[in-house]
Amino acid sequence: MIIVGVPIVASATVRRKHFDMIFFGSWISALAPFLLAFSQTYAGALGFVAVLSLGEMAWSPRWYDYTMACAPDGKVRGLGRIFPKSKAVHVLPLT
C-alpha cells in the first residue's frame, strides 16, 4: 500500500505546500490509534494499519522535500547524504 500509494499521492499533491501536507498527514496518522482503541479486533488492527499508512502517504514524501527546502544554500548535499541513512535506520527493523 505504501510503495504504490506514496508516489501517487506525492504527484497528485505537487501544488500543495510542504508543511500543509505534513500537517494533514500527521493528523490522519494521529487518528489511527483511536481505531485500535475502539475495536481490539483484527478488523481494528487492519484499520489502524490502513489509516496510519494513509497518513504516512501524505507526510512522508513531503518531509524530505521540506528538509531540503529549509537547508541553507550550499548545505543541501550534506543533508541529502544524512537523511537517507536516518531513514534506512528507521525502516530496517520493519523489513
Side-chain angles (χ1 to χ4, degrees):
M1 186 168 157
I2 291 289
I3 294 172
V4 175
V6 167
I8 292 170
V9 172
S11 63
T13 60
V14 170
R15 300 205 188 272
R16 300 253 181 161
K17 294 179 182 177
H18 300 303
F19 189 74
D20 290 343
M21 288 303 296
I22 293 169
F23 189 74
F24 177 70
S26 298
W27 273 103
I28 292 173
S29 295
L31 294 175
F34 290 105
L35 292 174
L36 199 55
F38 292 129
S39 175
Q40 294 90 20
T41 63
Y42 286 116
L46 289 174
F48 169 78
V49 172
V51 171
L52 190 64
S53 298
L54 288 172
E56 186 171 350
M57 278 187 240
W59 71 260
S60 180
R62 296 309 179 109
W63 182 258
Y64 182 76
D65 291 341
Y66 184 68
T67 303
M68 294 301 122
C70 290
D73 293 334
K75 301 289 183 182
V76 173
R77 189 184 312 179
L79 285 174
R81 270 189 251 133
I82 293 169
F83 184 79
K85 291 176 186 167
S86 64
K87 182 88 170 160
V89 169
H90 169 71
V91 174
L92 276 178
L94 302 176
T95 57

